[in-house]
Amino acid sequence: MSYFCLKAKQLFKMSDDVLKYNIKLPEPTLRRLPWYLAYLKLLKDKGEESVSSTQISKEINVDASQIAKDLSFLNITGKTRVGYDVSSLVEVLEDFLGFTKTHRAFIFGAGSLGAALLHDNGLEQYGLRVVAAFDVNPKKIGTIINGIPVYNINDYNQKREELQVNIGILTVPVDKAQSVADQMIEGGIKAVWNFTPFRIKVPKHIVVQNTSIYAHLAVMFNRLTYNAIEKSEKK
Amino acid sequence: MSYFCLKAKQLFKMSDDVLKYNIKLPEPTLRRLPWYLAYLKLLKDKGEESVSSTQISKEINVDASQIAKDLSFLNITGKTRVGYDVSSLVEVLEDFLGFTKTHRAFIFGAGSLGAALLHDNGLEQYGLRVVAAFDVNPKKIGTIINGIPVYNINDYNQKREELQVNIGILTVPVDKAQSVADQMIEGGIKAVWNFTPFRIKVPKHIVVQNTSIYAHLAVMFNRLTYNAIEKSEKK
């Protein structure tokens, strides 16, 4: 047990070093790391102590060499013939991905998708705590959704200073996406998680993460139609 | 007006042809098309009648040549010095992307994220109607969330036949992701919209769309930390 604790501490230190070295990880790597984490957590729950990149590769459908390369960004190397230590790897990944810290966020637009996200307590497990929502609709202002208050958008600047929030989740209608993004950034938001299908423009130092779940729907519908046609042609 | 109707009908026919020609569009194109659609709808609301790819390019930050190429998959070509007809383009895009049809879906796992998606009425605007959810938790079974019933997972096969559903939304815990996906497919689901961070394995003819919003969080956290470090180093 003490070995693992020591090991984890060493690795935590390393992961801090990576941040200190100021490495901007490639986005594809950052997107794959949570897949590894999900699988490693399963292994950990099963009581597995070590895992090889080949073993991860079989489960995740990513080349073993790619996995080793991705994990090397975290300064983690497996041992020959033993592989990676599962517990340490889980801890380092969670830490490195920012899931162990609490990042406070505001939601802009308590409409359908905004309200949906307010209901997702799972976000907090991944380090995101939504502390308030903002809207312009008088019917929504003053309400509480899943324990989170909905304020008037006019109170945003004051609330941001009070609550020290850096992240804004954008779930307003498309025609308001740019103007609300501008307002968020002017008030001090440093990262915009954009759930609208609109491509917002932001200053260079602002982080934008686009998550258009409806675009994913389009891909799925197209593939479904394609498969149905292919199947009917084979008959 | 009649010109537009005629034009739209011609274009609808063309879009049917594309489906008949069995074109599997590249995923990057399919992901960009909804961005164009969102912008075009804004233009339409403003009463704009035509738009050039250069104009779209400026707003969306995609090369004009790429836009023209993407739209050519839909058999749509702009007119020299006039551009694309906005209304027709909106209609063809919505039709082509599958947003005008109603695709029925089941949600598997009425936990935090599942319940969140049950609250998102916006999905229906994009052609997805969630008609039921399934869970194993006795406290959830028999409840109704946002008008949508939650059934026992054991009733899935019967409900699928009754309701003729092809799409399953996977929002179960990671350790159940693969077994529930297997069950969905065995019961007749043709497309799995996977919101878990687990990489499920499916037979070749099954469509999988991975939407791991938590992986997007990881990317955002990393960029935010990187920007903060960069800024402090500049000081």
Side-chain angles (χ1 to χ4, degrees):
Chain A
M1 185 62 194
S2 63
Y3 166 74
F4 286 122
C5 286
L6 184 68
K7 185 83 184 163
K9 269 188 192 166
Q10 285 175 339
L11 289 169
F12 269 118
K13 205 194 146 292
M14 284 182 196
S15 120
D16 281 348
D17 285 344
V18 173
L19 290 179
K20 276 179 209 148
Y21 293 150
N22 206 355
I23 289 176
K24 192 174 180 180
L25 256 68
E27 187 158 335
T29 295
L30 274 168
R31 286 182 186 242
R32 280 187 296 264
L33 292 178
W35 304 346
Y36 308 156
L37 177 60
Y39 173 61
L40 289 160
K41 275 173 153 179
L42 278 192
L43 286 184
K44 196 185 162 190
D45 289 347
K46 283 183 194 162
E48 301 282 339
E49 292 192 353
S50 58
V51 64
S52 67
S53 49
T54 319
Q55 207 179 329
I56 305 177
S57 170
K58 273 186 201 157
E59 283 300 319
I60 313 283
N61 273 336
V62 175
D63 277 351
S65 59
Q66 181 67 63
I67 294 172
K69 201 180 157 191
D70 286 343
L71 294 179
S72 72
F73 279 111
L74 285 72
N75 273 353
I76 297 174
T77 41
K79 285 183 196 162
T80 321
R81 277 190 295 272
V82 178
Y84 300 96
D85 177 62
V86 173
S87 297
S88 308
L89 200 44
V90 165
E91 284 185 73
V92 175
L93 273 168
E94 283 190 324
D95 180 51
F96 187 85
L97 292 170
F99 295 162
T100 52
K101 277 188 208 150
T102 300
H103 305 76
R104 280 127 83 87
F106 285 151
I107 283 186
F108 293 80
S112 182
L113 185 59
L117 288 172
L118 287 168
H119 281 96
D120 182 14
N121 301 317
L123 289 169
E124 187 137 1
Q125 284 175 43
Y126 291 88
L128 194 83
R129 182 180 296 160
V130 179
V131 292
F134 296 94
D135 209 293
V136 291
N137 184 341
K139 282 184 193 160
K140 283 176 191 152
I141 294 166
T143 62
I144 289 174
I145 300 177
N146 193 25
I148 301 161
V150 181
Y151 298 119
N152 190 316
I153 184 76
N154 296 334
D155 298 333
Y156 157 57
N157 284 356
Q158 188 205 326
K159 292 287 173 195
R160 207 202 74 83
E161 281 186 26
E162 251 176 63
L163 300 166
Q164 292 295 312
V165 171
N166 285 333
I167 298 174
I169 304 174
L170 190 63
T171 49
V172 296
V174 167
D175 61 331
K176 298 284 177 294
Q178 186 62 57
S179 61
V180 173
D182 292 344
Q183 190 178 357
M184 285 159 79
I185 294 161
E186 211 177 286
I189 286 290
K190 302 283 179 250
V192 181
W193 194 3
N194 177 24
F195 277 83
T196 80
F198 193 77
R199 306 293 286 175
I200 54 168
K201 287 178 189 172
V202 301
K204 220 179 165 183
H205 62 285
I206 300 293
V207 177
V208 174
Q209 177 62 47
N210 292 305
T211 300
S212 180
I213 64 169
Y214 308 127
H216 289 191
L217 259 186
V219 178
M220 188 169 64
F221 291 158
N222 179 271
R223 298 296 182 249
L224 202 50
T225 310
Y226 174 80
N227 279 2
I229 293 167
E230 204 185 39
K231 203 178 164 188
S232 70
E233 280 180 357
K234 275 188 187 158
K235 271 179 189 168
Chain B
M1 186 59 193
S2 63
Y3 166 76
F4 285 120
C5 287
L6 184 66
K7 185 82 183 164
K9 270 188 190 166
Q10 284 176 340
L11 290 169
F12 268 120
K13 202 193 148 292
M14 284 181 197
S15 120
D16 283 346
D17 285 344
V18 174
L19 290 180
K20 274 180 210 151
Y21 292 149
N22 205 354
I23 289 175
K24 192 174 179 179
L25 257 70
E27 186 157 335
T29 297
L30 274 169
R31 288 184 185 241
R32 281 189 295 265
L33 292 177
W35 305 346
Y36 309 156
L37 177 60
Y39 173 61
L40 288 160
K41 274 173 152 178
L42 277 191
L43 287 183
K44 196 186 160 189
D45 289 347
K46 283 182 192 161
E48 301 284 340
E49 292 191 354
S50 58
V51 65
S52 67
S53 49
T54 318
Q55 208 179 327
I56 304 177
S57 171
K58 272 185 204 157
E59 283 299 320
I60 312 282
N61 274 335
V62 175
D63 277 351
S65 59
Q66 181 67 62
I67 294 172
K69 201 179 155 193
D70 286 343
L71 294 179
S72 72
F73 279 109
L74 285 71
N75 273 353
I76 298 174
T77 40
K79 284 183 196 164
T80 322
R81 278 189 295 273
V82 179
Y84 299 95
D85 177 61
V86 172
S87 297
S88 307
L89 201 45
V90 165
E91 285 185 72
V92 175
L93 273 169
E94 283 191 322
D95 178 52
F96 188 83
L97 292 171
F99 295 162
T100 51
K101 277 187 208 150
T102 300
H103 305 77
R104 282 126 84 86
F106 285 151
I107 284 186
F108 293 80
S112 181
L113 185 58
L117 288 172
L118 287 168
H119 281 96
D120 182 13
N121 301 317
L123 288 168
E124 187 137 2
Q125 286 174 42
Y126 291 88
L128 193 82
R129 181 181 295 160
V130 179
V131 291
F134 296 94
D135 209 293
V136 291
N137 185 339
K139 280 184 193 160
K140 284 175 190 154
I141 295 167
T143 62
I144 290 175
I145 300 177
N146 195 26
I148 301 160
V150 182
Y151 297 120
N152 190 316
I153 184 73
N154 295 335
D155 297 333
Y156 157 57
N157 284 356
Q158 187 206 326
K159 291 289 172 194
R160 208 203 72 83
E161 280 187 26
E162 250 177 65
L163 300 165
Q164 290 295 311
V165 170
N166 284 333
I167 298 173
I169 304 175
L170 190 62
T171 50
V172 296
V174 166
D175 60 333
K176 298 284 176 295
Q178 186 62 58
S179 60
V180 173
D182 292 345
Q183 190 178 0
M184 284 159 80
I185 294 161
E186 210 176 285
I189 286 291
K190 302 282 179 250
V192 180
W193 194 3
N194 177 23
F195 277 82
T196 80
F198 193 77
R199 307 293 287 174
I200 53 168
K201 288 177 186 170
V202 301
K204 220 178 166 184
H205 63 285
I206 300 294
V207 178
V208 174
Q209 177 63 47
N210 292 306
T211 301
S212 180
I213 64 170
Y214 307 127
H216 289 191
L217 258 186
V219 178
M220 187 169 68
F221 291 158
N222 179 271
R223 298 295 183 249
L224 201 51
T225 309
Y226 174 82
N227 278 3
I229 294 168
E230 202 185 39
K231 204 178 164 187
S232 71
E233 280 180 357
K234 274 186 188 159
K235 269 180 192 168

